[in-house]
Amino acid sequence: MYSYCTLFNSDYLTRGLAMYESLKKQSNKFHLYIFAFDDRSYTLLEKLDLKYTTIISLKEFEDERLLAIKGDRTAGEYCWTCTPSIIKYSIEKYNLDNCTYLDADLYFFNNPSVLIKEMGDASVLITKHRYTPKYDQSTTSGIYCVQFMTFNNNNDGLKVLNWWRNACNDWCYARFEDGKFGDQKYLDDWTSRFDGVHVLKNLGGGVAPWNVQQYDLDDSEFKLIFYHFHNFKF
């Protein structure tokens, strides 16, 4: 059984549902914890009664620290701020061995379990942007992408997760400032700052608008695991 978590509000509801349906199509050995970031999305998700999911409202999830900083963040910045907190909440509330965070605008074409298995004995999995040179924003947006991240419920995994959560609570804004950007630039030095951090090698995980130019998706040798539909709009 693989445990995943995600967050979205009603603006991202269609993308979040597409992500869930693609995950269900590729694997039935999973459970997805969905954090509904507004009342409308919570009500709709509860009515849909999706198999393999648990729906968590903001009222259930938010703690005093998050409520204290909420007014200082835009809706998007607050979602970024909460990313490590929803992973921590899922692990602690549901006593999970590990939890993988998924951006709501991912779409799976194969079972992502192969990516998690690649971790081996590591405690944390992160993915690079792998920018095509002409789209390289690593200086301002980070080397790694907060899109697909796994944390094991052990000392090394929780050490990284708690450090990240505290950092995001202190500062998480949609601007580049003092080497920081949102929740993402914090990941840049994790492989040297912490033990047990594995950088994904499988090129099929993390294909996105900023790197898809590097791949031939029609090549039978290339196995696409997920595509990140960043900024996709109907």
Side-chain angles (χ1 to χ4, degrees):
M1 175 71 72
Y2 291 88
S3 300
Y4 302 97
C5 68
T6 190
L7 63 85
F8 52 82
N9 59 20
S10 51
D11 291 337
Y12 266 70
L13 182 64
T14 52
R15 278 163 279 195
L17 288 172
M19 184 269 286
Y20 161 76
E21 291 294 339
S22 72
L23 187 59
K24 187 175 73 169
K25 183 178 180 180
Q26 301 303 331
S27 171
N28 62 358
K29 294 181 179 179
F30 77 95
H31 196 84
L32 176 64
Y33 299 89
I34 303 177
F35 290 75
F37 264 53
D38 58 18
D39 291 339
R40 185 181 181 211
S41 61
Y42 180 77
T43 301
L44 288 169
L45 288 165
E46 283 285 282
K47 286 182 178 179
L48 288 170
D49 192 25
L50 304 171
K51 194 176 181 181
Y52 313 121
T53 71
T54 296
I55 313 302
I56 300 123
S57 69
L58 278 179
K59 291 179 182 178
E60 295 175 71
F61 156 69
E62 288 174 314
D63 58 23
E64 291 183 3
R65 175 66 172 138
L66 290 173
L67 289 170
I69 61 180
K70 187 174 183 178
D72 186 46
R73 315 275 160 100
T74 66
E77 289 169 344
Y78 188 59
C79 286
W80 290 351
T81 299
C82 289
T83 301
S85 291
I86 74 162
I87 305 167
K88 180 179 172 68
Y89 183 94
S90 299
I91 289 174
E92 294 179 350
K93 173 74 173 179
Y94 302 104
N95 193 29
L96 306 178
D97 291 333
N98 57 69
C99 188
T100 300
Y101 167 77
L102 308 174
D103 265 354
D105 51 359
L106 306 185
Y107 194 92
F108 293 95
F109 293 88
N110 279 285
N111 195 332
S113 63
V114 66
L115 308 180
I116 300 170
K117 289 176 181 177
E118 187 189 297
M119 289 175 65
D121 295 329
S123 297
V124 178
L125 174 70
I126 56 178
T127 59
K128 284 186 175 182
H129 278 107
R130 299 197 300 270
Y131 287 114
T132 298
K134 66 182 290 187
Y135 299 118
D136 190 356
Q137 300 179 57
S138 54
T139 301
T140 53
S141 295
I143 300 168
Y144 305 99
C145 183
V146 176
Q147 58 181 345
F148 186 101
M149 305 173 67
T150 302
F151 290 84
N152 281 341
N153 185 2
N154 59 24
N155 288 336
D156 285 343
L158 296 180
K159 182 179 180 180
V160 181
L161 183 57
N162 286 323
W163 179 92
W164 187 33
R165 180 177 187 265
N166 290 333
C168 287
N169 285 348
D170 288 342
W171 192 100
C172 189
Y173 299 95
R175 62 178 183 265
F176 180 71
E177 181 180 303
D178 297 329
K180 302 187 292 289
F181 177 81
D183 57 349
Q184 200 155 260
K185 281 287 285 179
Y186 290 121
L187 281 60
D188 277 8
D189 67 352
W190 280 11
T191 56
S192 58
R193 180 187 288 269
F194 300 108
D195 294 326
V197 178
H198 176 76
V199 179
L200 185 71
K201 297 177 182 177
N202 191 321
L203 298 180
V207 181
W210 50 79
N211 64 32
V212 68
Q213 305 78 18
Q214 303 170 40
Y215 311 112
D216 180 1
L217 301 184
D218 292 325
D219 184 352
S220 60
E221 298 293 317
F222 183 78
K223 188 174 184 179
L224 176 63
I225 308 299
F226 71 83
Y227 189 88
H228 189 161
F229 282 89
H230 178 71
N231 272 348
F232 176 80
K233 293 182 175 66
F234 288 110

